């Protein structure tokens, strides 16, 4: 846990920089159980911060609560040597304003990932799995017209493989395909994207302590809500996005 308070900063000439104080508190608690079969654990954390914007009377107040679960199990099925899983739920809120908040950003996100390591198949070893998330974003007050309310859903499948070529060489390859859709309100349009990422690599062992690698990749990602739909002045950063 942590509690941190700072007063307004003082300039070299002794003047105080108004509205530069901060108030931060954060704490977390976690535990795990482990055995020969693997492990499973969970954690909960909280982060809160309030700070002013120098030169203005505005304040930013932000809080984030997060809950995590993760685990790993060995030899769960024939051909699967290891299975790992993780999930998290995050509830984030921040407000902007003077004495009373004038703008609200509310973001709630659930994410999950599962990956399996398979036994050698024709000399190949690797990991395959699924990853996804659901994000519910809302803005209220002045920011309602800056970023519209949007729900984002994503599901991706990935595969990473490698195979020795002789005693010193190893070939590596990977791929990831994702489908993401975003549902928003009028007059904005709903969107969907299918980013694809591919990679190919070659590794050579040099003696006991060194390796030489070369790789080629093509990577894509889907745009975030703010990148697609932000349109207007953002008072906190004094920018037009």
């Amino acid at each position: 846990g942590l509690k941190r308070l700072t007063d307004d900063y003082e300039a070299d000439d002794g003047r105080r920089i108004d509205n530069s104080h901060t108030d931060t508190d954060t704490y977390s608690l976690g535990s795990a159980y482990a055995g020969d079969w693997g492990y499973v654990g969970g954690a909960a954390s909280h982060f809160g911060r309030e700070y002013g914007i120098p030169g203005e009377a505005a304040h930013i107040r932000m809080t984030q609560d997060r809950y995590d679960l993760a685990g790993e199990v060995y030899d769960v099925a024939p051909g699967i040597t290891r299975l790992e899983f993780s999930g998290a739920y995050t509830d984030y809120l921040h407000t902007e304003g003077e004495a009373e908040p004038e703008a609200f950003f509310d973001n709630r996100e659930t994410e999950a990932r599962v990956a399996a390591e398979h036994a050698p198949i024709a000399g190949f070893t690797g990991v395959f799995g699924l990853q996804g998330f659901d994000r519910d974003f809302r803005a209220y007050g002045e920011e309602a017209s800056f970023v519209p309310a949007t729900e984002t859903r994503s599901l991706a499948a990935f595969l990473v493989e490698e195979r020795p070529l002789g005693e010193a060489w190893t070939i590596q390859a990977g791929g990831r395909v994702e489908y993401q859709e975003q549902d928003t309100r009028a007059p904005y349009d709903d969107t969907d994207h299918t980013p694809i990422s591919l990679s190919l690599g070659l590794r050579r062992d040099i003696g006991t302590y060194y390796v030489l690698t070369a790789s080629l990749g093509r990577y894509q990602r889907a745009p975030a809500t703010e990148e697609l739909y932000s349109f207007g002045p953002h008072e906190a950063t004094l920018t037009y996005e």
Side-chain angles (χ1 to χ4, degrees):
L2 168 72
K3 178 67 175 179
R4 184 170 186 261
L5 293 168
T6 67
D7 293 329
D8 287 338
Y9 287 101
E10 185 176 291
D12 290 339
D13 58 4
R15 292 183 301 110
R16 284 193 174 273
I17 308 301
D18 292 336
N19 212 27
S20 61
H21 59 277
T22 66
D23 183 354
T24 304
D25 63 275
T26 177
Y27 50 83
S28 60
L29 177 68
S31 181
Y33 180 77
D36 295 337
W37 49 272
Y39 80 90
V40 63
S45 62
H46 169 82
F47 175 81
R49 192 178 189 206
E50 179 179 342
Y51 58 96
I53 300 177
E56 298 185 18
H59 283 77
I60 306 295
R61 301 171 181 87
M62 57 183 294
T63 61
Q64 176 178 284
D65 295 305
R66 180 181 171 98
Y67 306 91
D68 283 274
L69 175 69
E72 187 174 291
V73 184
Y74 309 125
D75 299 321
V76 293
I80 303 297
T81 58
R82 181 172 60 92
L83 180 72
E84 62 178 34
F85 58 90
S86 62
Y89 173 76
T90 304
D91 186 354
Y92 172 88
L93 173 67
H94 97 244
T95 64
E96 302 173 0
E98 298 183 9
E100 296 294 332
E102 300 169 358
F104 299 79
F105 291 93
D106 188 357
N107 185 70
R108 303 181 184 187
E109 184 170 336
T110 302
E111 55 187 284
R113 181 181 186 273
V114 59
E117 181 180 303
H118 65 79
I121 301 175
F124 284 91
T125 58
V127 175
F128 62 94
L130 297 172
Q131 181 177 10
F133 71 88
D134 182 282
R135 181 191 184 198
D136 189 3
F137 176 85
R138 296 286 186 271
Y140 307 93
E142 292 182 355
E143 303 304 333
S145 58
F146 169 60
V147 185
T150 306
E151 182 174 6
T152 305
R153 291 177 294 272
S154 169
L155 182 62
F158 58 88
L159 173 68
V160 179
E161 296 287 332
E162 70 173 28
R163 187 184 192 281
L165 299 176
E167 296 183 357
W169 293 91
T170 301
I171 187 171
Q172 302 167 321
R176 185 178 189 272
V177 180
E178 179 185 7
Y179 177 75
Q180 176 177 291
E181 60 180 9
Q182 294 181 307
D183 298 331
T184 189
R185 68 183 185 198
Y188 300 94
D189 295 327
D190 297 342
T191 62
D192 62 84
H193 299 86
T194 308
I196 298 175
S197 298
L198 300 170
S199 66
L200 181 66
L202 194 63
R203 186 186 75 208
R204 176 177 171 79
D205 296 329
I206 303 175
T208 305
Y209 303 105
Y210 301 96
V211 295
L212 180 66
T213 62
S215 62
L216 180 67
R218 174 187 185 272
Y219 308 102
Q220 294 182 324
R221 71 169 178 85
T225 299
E226 295 83 354
E227 294 171 325
L228 276 178
Y229 298 116
S230 294
F231 190 73
H234 191 178
E235 296 296 338
T237 55
L238 299 180
T239 57
Y240 191 98
E241 299 189 11

